[in-house]
Amino acid sequence: MIKIDSPDTLLANGLKDTWYAICPSNFITDKPVSLRRLGMKLVFWRDEAGKLYALEDHCPHRGAPLSRGILLGDRIACGYHGVQVRADGVVTNVPGSPGCSLEGKRAARSFHVVERNGAVFLYNSANNVDEAPDFTLPEELVSDEFASFLCYTEWRGDYRYVIDNVMDPMHGTYLHKQSHSMAEGSSVAEFGVRDTEHGFVFEKKGQRGVNFDWTEWANTGLHWLRLEIPYPATGGPGGSFAIVGTYTPISENLAAVFHWRCRKVSGWQRHAWQFLYRNRLEARHWAVLEQDREVLEVMEPDANQRENLYQHDIGLVRLRRHLRNLATEQFEQLKGKTA
């Protein structure tokens, strides 16, 4: 278990009782897979019907990695001493000592997992829970009117730098100025903040539809960001190009980065756009992401402690403050439970 000694430690490893994207669905096949996420080492596996399960990758007997064990449907038999652990964390069998006190005990950390839009999501509960609340994805990922592609990568550095980057429309005008979709619009801007039901929108005033000019952050059980980039006619049918992103800490210096690229298209236009995306646009989008990665990966770990912010940065200041408040509230609750 992670030792939570401050709100910053909690936020750095991912807030509790919140859903996080973990990996693309195709990472988990017919064998146990060990992944570090949210400051923990986790094991994921599927039963014969393809149902997905997750536990902390730690046998409650001696701490051996369960990912080196044998799959038994909704259980894993540890490869070290054969201790069988069910997906809810209960030890069902200790073959070396039948009837011992470990049998029947909910001794392992278990996690609820679901698959949506090509990705695995995990509920980062503070403790084992029998049921997890649902979460809601933005309309671009649930509506039949949209088509989307998941682009997954991992970047060195704190995942919060990735969040800051997306909550910063102004960087598109400079860092991405050679992009075919971000070459227009003013190089100066005044920004404003507009509240929404689940979060807020940070936007340039008077430039809607001209460039990367707004970002929305929302908490719907999962934290996600959304933006739109106006597209020229050469970008194919579907109007503006939407990006939905969510970001997960792997470890102190590594982030899991999820971006869904979305467009509102149907019928023959959907097929035309999907073909165009795979054959022409996808490489351009990865090139833009590389520009972000190259900057973020060489930023010092304490760069966000030595800033001089101005009006363009009020969106990320608001979001940082909100996340810090959530972390402080959770820390006080967890501290009260253990006192």
Side-chain angles (χ1 to χ4, degrees), residues 3 6 18 36 64 76 103-104 154 157 164 169 193 220-221 223 230 241 246 255 270 292-293:
K3 182 181 179 182
S6 70
T18 302
R36 291 191 181 276
I76 289 184
E103 285 190 343
E154 296 176 9
D164 287 351
V193 176
T220 56
H223 296 176
F241 178 76
T246 190
R270 173 171 297 193
D292 290 318
R293 182 191 65 79

Side-chain angles (χ1 to χ4, degrees), residues 75-149:
R75 294 167 292 147
I76 289 184
C78 179
Y80 201 19
H81 294 94
V83 174
Q84 296 181 21
V85 185
R86 200 167 59 202
D88 61 0
V90 174
V91 175
T92 60
N93 188 10
V94 181
S97 183
C100 73
S101 60
L102 186 57
E103 285 190 343
K105 185 177 181 180
R106 196 173 190 177
R109 289 283 286 116
S110 65
F111 298 91
H112 292 270
V113 284
V114 298
E115 295 179 84
R116 293 182 186 172
N117 296 85
V120 173
F121 295 85
L122 176 142
Y123 184 63
N124 190 29
S125 52
N127 301 290
N128 285 350
V129 294
D130 292 327
E131 295 184 6
D134 201 0
F135 65 95
T136 303
L137 292 168
E139 64 173 340
E140 289 86 351
L141 301 186
V142 297
S143 171
D144 291 338
E145 295 182 342
F146 288 85
S148 63
F149 296 94

Side-chain angles (χ1 to χ4, degrees), residues 38-323:
L38 303 164
M40 299 176 286
K41 188 179 179 183
L42 304 166
V43 58
F44 299 85
W45 77 97
R46 299 180 187 275
D47 62 20
E48 292 182 351
K51 185 177 179 180
L52 191 64
Y53 304 98
L55 291 167
E56 185 177 9
D57 195 7
H58 176 98
C59 179
H61 170 222
R62 291 274 301 280
L66 291 170
S67 57
R68 301 298 295 271
I70 300 169
L71 296 184
L72 302 169
D74 67 345
R75 294 167 292 147
I76 289 184
C78 179
Y80 201 19
H81 294 94
V83 174
Q84 296 181 21
V85 185
R86 200 167 59 202
D88 61 0
V90 174
V91 175
T92 60
N93 188 10
V94 181
S97 183
C100 73
S101 60
L102 186 57
E103 285 190 343
K105 185 177 181 180
R106 196 173 190 177
R109 289 283 286 116
S110 65
F111 298 91
H112 292 270
V113 284
V114 298
E115 295 179 84
R116 293 182 186 172
N117 296 85
V120 173
F121 295 85
L122 176 142
Y123 184 63
N124 190 29
S125 52
N127 301 290
N128 285 350
V129 294
D130 292 327
E131 295 184 6
D134 201 0
F135 65 95
T136 303
L137 292 168
E139 64 173 340
E140 289 86 351
L141 301 186
V142 297
S143 171
D144 291 338
E145 295 182 342
F146 288 85
S148 63
F149 296 94
L150 170 60
C151 300
Y152 173 79
T153 187
E154 296 176 9
W155 290 351
R156 293 190 300 274
D158 194 311
Y159 80 108
R160 288 171 289 184
Y161 280 149
V162 188
I163 295 173
D164 287 351
N165 181 70
V166 179
M167 185 49 72
D168 174 19
M170 202 64 200
H171 86 272
T173 305
Y174 294 91
L175 181 63
H176 305 312
K177 62 183 178 181
Q178 302 302 323
S179 166
H180 74 294
S181 58
M182 283 182 273
E184 304 297 330
S186 175
S187 60
V188 297
E190 181 183 356
F191 281 89
V193 176
R194 173 167 49 87
D195 290 329
T196 64
E197 181 181 0
H198 299 291
F200 68 95
V201 173
F202 178 56
E203 57 192 344
K204 296 178 185 177
K205 295 182 179 180
Q207 292 195 51
R208 176 55 62 96
V210 178
N211 198 316
F212 169 23
D213 53 16
W214 62 269
T215 301
E216 178 183 5
W217 179 85
N219 178 3
T220 56
L222 169 81
H223 296 176
W224 49 264
L225 293 104
R226 171 169 56 186
L227 58 95
E228 282 187 0
I229 299 175
Y231 249 37
T234 55
S240 293
F241 178 76
I243 297 176
V244 174
T246 190
Y247 315 102
T248 302
I250 294 176
S251 60
E252 183 179 2
N253 292 305
L254 194 62
V257 178
F258 298 79
H259 289 118
W260 283 267
R261 279 83 179 268
C262 318
R263 291 190 89 175
K264 193 172 186 179
V265 284
S266 60
W268 69 267
Q269 290 188 333
R270 173 171 297 193
H271 298 297
W273 177 69
Q274 289 172 331
F275 178 82
L276 182 63
Y277 179 83
R278 288 302 192 196
N279 288 276
R280 175 193 268 182
L281 301 177
E282 184 174 23
R284 296 180 182 181
H285 298 157
W286 278 112
V288 170
L289 278 180
E290 276 295 288
Q291 292 171 342
D292 290 318
R293 182 191 65 79
E294 288 172 357
V295 170
L296 297 182
E297 288 194 340
V298 296
M299 291 179 69
E300 292 296 313
D302 68 341
N304 58 7
Q305 305 300 314
R306 301 163 57 194
E307 298 172 321
N308 291 279
L309 305 179
Y310 49 92
Q311 205 265 347
H312 293 173
D313 305 307
I314 59 175
L316 67 89
V317 170
R318 173 168 172 167
L319 182 52
R320 287 176 180 176
R321 184 183 298 121
H322 178 70
L323 294 176

Side-chain angles (χ1 to χ4, degrees), residues 15-20 123-127 129 133 221 330 333-334 337:
L15 293 172
K16 298 299 181 183
D17 301 331
T18 302
W19 287 91
Y20 283 90
Y123 184 63
N124 190 29
S125 52
N127 301 290
V129 294
Q330 285 194 1
Q333 292 174 347
L334 293 171
K337 291 179 181 179

